[in-house]
Amino acid sequence: MVSPSTVSVSITGTGLFTPAESISNAELAASLSASVERWNGEHADEIAAGTIAPRDLPDEAFIEKASGIASRYVMEKSGVLDPDRMRPHLPLRSEDELGIQAEMSLPAIHEALEQAGRRPSDVDAVIVGCSNLQRAYPAVAIEIQNALGAGGWAFDMNVACSSATFSIQNAVDALRNGTANCVVVVNPEITSGHNNFELRDHHFIFGDACTALVIERTDDAVADRGGSHGRWDVLGTKLATQFSNNIRNDFGFLNGSEDGERDEHELVFRQNGQSVFKEVCPLVVKHITGHLGEVGIEATDVRRFWLHQANLKMNQLIAKGVLGRIPDADEAPVILDQYANTSSAGSVIAFHRHRDDLEAGDLGVICSFGAGYSVGSIIVRRAN
Ligand code: CO8
């Protein structure tokens, strides 16, 4: 019997769904400013008496300077920009209608399957990995499996921003163990549903998108051979977690049963951004350097890093720690200027959009990092 660890596995296709609507920093700052100014006006007496502090206004220029983000896509824009609402309008759907996360997953999956030269009926495993799921059950992955007409099994999983790389590891394990033959990993991130658009520290960070990958045993791959997207052999996967409260969202199934009052800001995304920046960067440098060492690859031999897309300076610092110098956009492509932080989808969007120019034999690293803390790296080599 072939040992599972010697079975070669490849990424044979990727897909991306980008929502139709986009919000610029200027639009976002204007809507939050209107909300803050009204709040300060309503509390003018207390502010004048010094019993409460005025709320600070957002600054459009700060956003791009601090993060590298210029705009973000969202599933629904008018609700996010409405100072009376500050969250998307997502019409309630009946049980007979396709759910919104399944709906955004299907185009991304179909694109990935087309690249892989596969039909939906070839799929025998679907893993949904994303930072927030629209319901407890039935699993969104099973709904997608049904809508695709796929066989096998499906499940949902959540490791926040690292959900895609952790899903890829699960797919690779299933293929090596022989429990699946053609796995779809899909990351439907509707971050606008659980971002906090009411606080200037958080309102600009996230955007919506969905990515998909098809992963198969290398010997089974039919896409190719020499197609512009290439077959990408997985040389190694490595995951790590380390507990931290610096990125949290306490929304959950037990909220209704909890005795005691919660601050409503605890039930959406919140973080201590500076601490995350300081603590996660060295963690990721150590992780990638260690993983490359285990696989026997010099960092300088890596042609491209498709890093998690949260903050431009963070990515430059991480790549500098690994390479010894700040990389150019060709070595570590940036998509967060246009997409913002799309949680688990970010590094896969970078891989999807910036890999066709690489040549057979070129090496790359897909790497995610975020809440948990969690870090995941996938080392790949272009095969054709
Ligand atoms: N406009 C004007 N001023 C602002 C704004 C704004 N929009 N935002 C903050 N400021 C102010 C602050 O209030 C602060 O003011 P003061 O000095 O008076 O207190 C000042 O600017 C400086 O603020 P910071 O110190 O916070 O600024 P930084 O330079 O640290 O930049 C960043 C903030 C950009 C957030 C930066 O810290 C960062 O990117 N850190 C890394 C964060 C990160 O990678 N997090 C990972 C999160 S992703 C994840 O894992 C969660 C997945 C779940 C998905 C959730 C979807 C909703």
Side-chain angles (χ1 to χ4, degrees):
M1 184 187 158
V2 181
S3 149
S5 61
T6 62
V7 175
S8 174
V9 168
S10 305
I11 297 171
T12 54
T14 65
L16 169 64
F17 167 81
T18 301
E21 300 187 340
S22 170
I23 298 178
S24 68
N25 289 345
E27 289 175 297
L28 206 59
S31 110
L32 181 55
S33 295
S35 163
V36 168
E37 275 165 355
R38 196 180 55 202
W39 191 92
N40 286 346
E42 286 164 3
H43 295 84
D45 291 344
E46 295 120 292
I47 291 169
T51 51
I52 58 170
R55 283 176 58 195
D56 293 318
L57 289 166
D59 171 17
E60 182 193 339
F62 169 90
I63 299 173
E64 190 151 6
K65 191 160 170 268
S67 66
I69 297 165
S71 59
R72 72 283 298 142
Y73 294 97
V74 290
M75 294 300 282
E76 204 285 321
K77 173 174 177 171
S78 71
V80 172
L81 291 182
D82 177 354
D84 290 328
R85 183 173 172 95
M86 313 208 84
R87 58 201 157 85
H89 288 282
L90 302 179
L92 204 57
R93 299 181 184 204
S94 76
E95 289 180 7
D96 299 330
E97 290 175 281
L98 195 66
I100 189 166
Q101 285 187 302
E103 184 178 283
M104 70 196 296
S105 295
L106 290 177
I109 294 171
H110 283 299
E111 184 182 5
L113 287 171
E114 196 178 322
Q115 285 187 11
R118 289 292 182 191
R119 292 185 304 271
S121 56
D122 295 329
V123 175
D124 61 358
V126 178
I127 304 175
V128 166
C130 62
S131 45
N132 286 77
L133 287 151
Q134 66 185 83
R135 61 170 181 259
Y137 36 79
V140 172
I142 302 176
E143 185 186 8
I144 292 170
Q145 175 196 28
N146 180 57
L148 275 178
W153 45 264
F155 65 84
D156 296 342
M157 54 172 281
N158 174 4
V159 197
C161 287
S162 290
S163 298
T165 52
F166 277 56
S167 302
I168 293 170
Q169 164 91 66
N170 269 287
V172 169
D173 289 346
L175 290 159
R176 288 197 171 135
N177 291 331
T179 51
N181 298 308
C182 179
V183 186
V184 162
V185 162
V186 63
N187 320 106
E189 293 286 8
I190 310 184
T191 63
S192 58
H194 48 102
N195 190 17
N196 191 338
F197 290 104
E198 293 177 20
L199 296 183
R200 74 172 188 172
D201 293 81
H202 300 149
H203 72 135
F204 62 88
I205 296 176
F206 292 101
D208 301 340
C210 177
T211 46
L213 301 115
V214 176
I215 308 178
E216 304 174 79
R217 281 184 290 277
T218 305
D219 286 347
D220 297 341
V222 294
D224 31 287
R225 302 220 169 205
S228 64
H229 308 294
R231 192 190 81 215
W232 295 80
D233 297 343
V234 175
L235 304 187
T237 56
K238 187 179 173 75
L239 313 179
T241 49
Q242 179 182 304
F243 186 69
S244 168
N245 281 319
N246 280 329
I247 313 171
R248 253 190 109 101
N249 180 342
D250 282 285
F251 180 84
F253 310 119
L254 299 182
N255 291 147
S257 306
E258 288 171 336
D259 291 329
E261 286 296 306
R262 266 195 187 276
D263 182 334
E264 60 179 318
H265 295 304
E266 290 178 7
L267 301 182
V268 284
F269 167 87
R270 68 188 193 276
Q271 74 169 352
N272 181 342
Q274 273 206 13
S275 301
V276 173
F277 196 110
K278 281 186 201 137
E279 291 170 14
V280 168
C281 287
L283 205 65
V284 179
V285 171
K286 198 169 156 217
H287 182 95
I288 295 177
T289 307
H291 192 190
L292 288 171
E294 284 164 24
V295 177
I297 293 172
E298 295 289 332
T300 46
D301 289 336
V302 176
R303 174 70 183 76
R304 189 159 288 165
F305 291 87
W306 299 281
L307 298 176
H308 175 51
Q309 303 281 316
N311 183 302
L312 185 56
K313 288 182 210 158
M314 205 170 180
N315 284 11
Q316 288 173 340
L317 203 65
I318 288 167
K320 188 176 173 211
V322 174
L323 283 171
R325 61 183 165 76
I326 293 191
D328 58 31
D330 182 66
E331 292 169 299
V334 179
I335 58 98
L336 96 157
D337 51 345
Q338 194 188 343
Y339 280 83
N341 181 346
T342 52
S343 195
S344 69
S347 55
V348 184
I349 298 175
F351 179 64
H352 173 81
R353 293 184 59 163
H354 297 282
R355 74 178 193 278
D356 290 354
D357 59 314
L358 266 55
E359 293 175 1
D362 279 344
L363 296 165
V365 179
I366 302 167
C367 182
S368 68
F369 38 88
Y373 298 131
S374 57
V375 192
S377 53
I378 314 292
I379 301 176
V380 291
R381 180 176 55 212
R382 183 165 184 154
N384 54 27

